[in-house]
Amino acid sequence: MEKLGPGDPQRIGGYRLLGRLGSGGMGQVFLARSDRGRTVAVKLVRPELAEREEFRARFRQEVRNAQRVGGFWTAPVLDADTEAAVPWVATGYVAGPSLQQVVDHDHGPLPERSVRILAAGLAHALTNIHAAGIVHRDLKPSNVMVTIEGPRVIDFGVARALETVTGDGALTQLGDGGLTQTGALIGSPGFMAPEQVRGDRITPACDVFCLGSVLAYAATGVLPFGSADQQGVHALLFRIAEEEPDLTRVPEGIADLVRACLRKDPAARPTLERILERTGAEDTVADGRSRDPWLPGTLVAQLGRHAVRLLETEDPQGAFTQAAPHHPGPRGTLAAPPGHGPTLAAPHPAYGHPQQYPAPPRQPMPTSVPAQAPMPVPMQVPVPHNPYAADAPDAAAYGTPTPATPATPATPVTPTTSRTRPAAAVVPRCCSGRSPRWSRWPPAARCTRS
């Protein structure tokens, strides 16, 4: 990843740019982070392409198609603004190098087991892409990302937007080197299918042929039909259309599969289901990842260091600038007004606004202390109805209750010597059932048996 240049924007839509990932025929690719913290890859279309209405219409359609692609083996299309002055599209960032970087610089050709798992992952990815009605057309090592869990395919479908129609109905297409003349071909010459070279009808079998070329390159480090640097573009295209590939360096365990994918006749090539069977995908991959480690140890360590660097990536210097209604030129760091803190730069009008991740509105600060709210009024609890109340409407029906007579205090009993039992007293019985003999009355009674 490279640092942002002086003419690069600091924000595109709702994404803060962190650095440059590369550039291609369609435009520049930036590493960015959304306001919610997700790391994405933002592809910014070249201005000369944005001025062509034919390209813009095709780009709009292909972005909608790419958003329907699901599965684990592709980088999802998260956001896009096809109506901005300079259209852009944001996809999920895949934390890992490309297959081209791994084979050409970091490690070299992959072992047979790694290539077999690579074939299974790419077959799964192409199955998901074809299910959405898309033919990739440009499957090549730079569009295959290598991660610890397995390969990931990027740039599917959107590459078709580079095919635009001129006024006379002829196709004008664009490659990695820039705008080409009418009748040129889209894609990388070393990884094109014969039907692409001849200009025939493109079917999903075109991606199967490209898959065979990618597998041969991953296993040997060279292209099966040679490179354009050695023999020229026209000689390379002739070999793709008419001659057989050179698979002498491909391991025997996968040579037959690669040879079947590189057949000239699209109908003779194996289907993706057949490729999954021949690679033993059920035993090697599941749910978007390899069941066991599929890369050499040196590559696993490199991917770990790459993930650490990604976590340590901060916003580039100059990401905080003075807010302005529009941006007249290249972004830079501006001094904040006295007494004011830095604010995020306003989005460039050419790059539009986010479709799915709008920035939350900022709440204004209160200018004065709000008035104290009045005390709440206690709720009146209704009194239960008393039908005996004097003022009750139905008091006559129930009558007037008689007031209770206060109780009179008890008269103390005067002691007497008479053995006559008081009339109102309850005669106690002794345990034998006979009336006891009272020695005296009150305060205490005593039972004495005769």
Side-chain angles (χ1 to χ4, degrees), residues 7 12 20 22 30-31 47 52 57 73 105 115 140-141 179 188 196 206 213 232 318 331 338 362 370-371 394 404:
I12 296 179
R20 296 170 60 100
F30 298 93
L31 179 67
R52 304 175 63 175
W73 303 96
H105 304 283
V115 177
K140 56 185 178 181
L179 289 173
S188 301
Q196 288 179 285
C206 170
S213 299
R331 294 183 181 273
R362 302 182 64 179
D394 51 354

Side-chain angles (χ1 to χ4, degrees), residues 26-40:
M26 183 177 295
Q28 299 176 350
V29 184
F30 298 93
L31 179 67
R33 190 164 291 153
S34 70
D35 294 335
R36 300 181 181 181
R38 179 165 185 171
T39 305
V40 300

Side-chain angles (χ1 to χ4, degrees), residues 268-400:
R269 300 167 194 162
T271 62
L272 295 175
E273 291 78 7
R274 179 57 180 164
I275 294 176
L276 291 174
E277 294 176 1
R278 299 181 64 171
T279 56
E282 294 183 356
D283 300 328
T284 56
V285 296
D287 297 332
R289 64 183 63 189
S290 174
R291 295 184 183 273
D292 299 317
W294 73 291
L295 294 173
T298 55
L299 282 180
V300 174
Q302 177 186 345
L303 293 176
R305 292 190 297 268
H306 178 84
V308 172
R309 289 195 301 268
L310 180 63
L311 293 175
E312 295 176 349
T313 302
E314 300 178 354
D315 292 342
Q317 190 176 12
F320 292 96
T321 57
Q322 182 180 4
H326 68 280
H327 176 65
R331 294 183 181 273
T333 303
L334 303 180
H340 293 78
T343 56
L344 285 177
H348 194 295
Y351 306 135
H353 299 276
Q355 302 294 313
Q356 299 179 1
Y357 304 101
R362 302 182 64 179
Q363 299 295 334
M365 297 296 295
T367 56
S368 61
V369 179
Q372 186 176 4
M375 295 297 293
V377 179
M379 183 178 61
Q380 298 294 335
V381 180
V383 179
H385 173 66
N386 184 7
Y388 296 101
D391 56 348
D394 51 354
Y398 295 95
T400 303

Side-chain angles (χ1 to χ4, degrees), residues 100-440:
Q100 180 179 7
Q101 175 73 21
V102 169
V103 175
D104 287 350
H105 304 283
D106 298 341
H107 181 270
L110 298 178
E112 178 181 344
R113 179 179 176 276
S114 299
V115 177
R116 186 178 297 275
I117 297 178
L118 173 67
L122 296 182
H124 276 298
L126 292 177
T127 300
N128 297 330
I129 294 173
H130 295 170
I134 300 174
V135 179
H136 194 296
R137 297 172 176 238
D138 196 23
L139 184 66
K140 56 185 178 181
S142 59
N143 285 339
V144 176
M145 309 304 293
V146 177
T147 70
I148 295 179
E149 296 180 341
R152 298 292 185 269
V153 175
I154 63 174
D155 283 351
F156 47 86
V158 180
R160 292 186 58 186
L162 295 177
E163 299 180 357
T164 57
V165 181
T166 62
D168 56 358
L171 286 177
T172 301
Q173 302 170 331
L174 182 145
D176 292 341
L179 289 173
T180 62
Q181 300 295 328
T182 301
L185 300 174
I186 180 176
S188 301
F191 299 93
M192 296 175 63
E195 52 267 34
Q196 288 179 285
V197 174
R198 302 189 188 101
D200 296 339
R201 179 174 175 268
I202 302 300
T203 64
C206 170
D207 289 340
V208 175
F209 189 95
C210 299
L211 172 61
S213 299
V214 170
L215 297 179
Y217 168 81
T220 63
V222 296
L223 280 68
F225 297 97
S227 64
D229 297 336
Q230 299 175 349
Q231 53 189 333
V233 176
H234 295 286
L236 173 60
L237 297 179
F238 176 81
R239 292 192 60 185
I240 292 175
E242 301 297 338
E243 297 182 4
E244 294 299 321
D246 182 8
L247 303 180
T248 55
R249 299 171 58 181
V250 177
E252 296 182 0
I254 60 173
D256 292 339
L257 174 62
V258 173
R259 187 175 294 104
C261 293
L262 295 178
R263 291 170 180 165
K264 307 298 183 184
D265 184 7
R269 300 167 194 162
T271 62
L272 295 175
E273 291 78 7
R274 179 57 180 164
I275 294 176
L276 291 174
E277 294 176 1
R278 299 181 64 171
T279 56
E282 294 183 356
D283 300 328
T284 56
V285 296
D287 297 332
R289 64 183 63 189
S290 174
R291 295 184 183 273
D292 299 317
W294 73 291
L295 294 173
T298 55
L299 282 180
V300 174
Q302 177 186 345
L303 293 176
R305 292 190 297 268
H306 178 84
V308 172
R309 289 195 301 268
L310 180 63
L311 293 175
E312 295 176 349
T313 302
E314 300 178 354
D315 292 342
Q317 190 176 12
F320 292 96
T321 57
Q322 182 180 4
H326 68 280
H327 176 65
R331 294 183 181 273
T333 303
L334 303 180
H340 293 78
T343 56
L344 285 177
H348 194 295
Y351 306 135
H353 299 276
Q355 302 294 313
Q356 299 179 1
Y357 304 101
R362 302 182 64 179
Q363 299 295 334
M365 297 296 295
T367 56
S368 61
V369 179
Q372 186 176 4
M375 295 297 293
V377 179
M379 183 178 61
Q380 298 294 335
V381 180
V383 179
H385 173 66
N386 184 7
Y388 296 101
D391 56 348
D394 51 354
Y398 295 95
T400 303
T402 303
T405 304
T408 56
T411 304
V413 180
T414 304
T416 178
T417 58
S418 175
R419 294 186 179 181
T420 304
R421 186 175 55 198
V426 179
V427 179
R429 299 288 182 176
C430 65
C431 56
S432 62
R434 294 177 297 174
S435 298
R437 183 175 55 187
W438 300 90
S439 60
R440 58 181 172 175

Side-chain angles (χ1 to χ4, degrees), residues 4 9-24 26-35 38-46 59 75-81 86-94 154-155 158 351-352 354 357:
L4 296 177
Q10 297 291 339
R11 291 182 69 91
I12 296 179
Y15 303 93
R16 303 187 307 274
L17 302 189
L18 305 178
R20 296 170 60 100
L21 294 176
S23 61
M26 183 177 295
Q28 299 176 350
V29 184
F30 298 93
L31 179 67
R33 190 164 291 153
S34 70
D35 294 335
R38 179 165 185 171
T39 305
V40 300
V42 179
K43 175 170 288 189
L44 187 64
V45 173
R46 295 169 55 178
F59 180 76
V77 176
L78 303 175
D79 197 2
D81 190 352
V86 181
W88 54 268
V89 58
T91 63
Y93 176 69
V94 180
I154 63 174
D155 283 351
V158 180
Y351 306 135
Y357 304 101

Side-chain angles (χ1 to χ4, degrees), residues 62-70 77-80 134 156 356:
E62 295 303 327
V63 167
R64 285 196 295 263
N65 293 340
Q67 288 177 331
R68 299 199 304 265
V69 177
V77 176
L78 303 175
D79 197 2
I134 300 174
F156 47 86
Q356 299 179 1

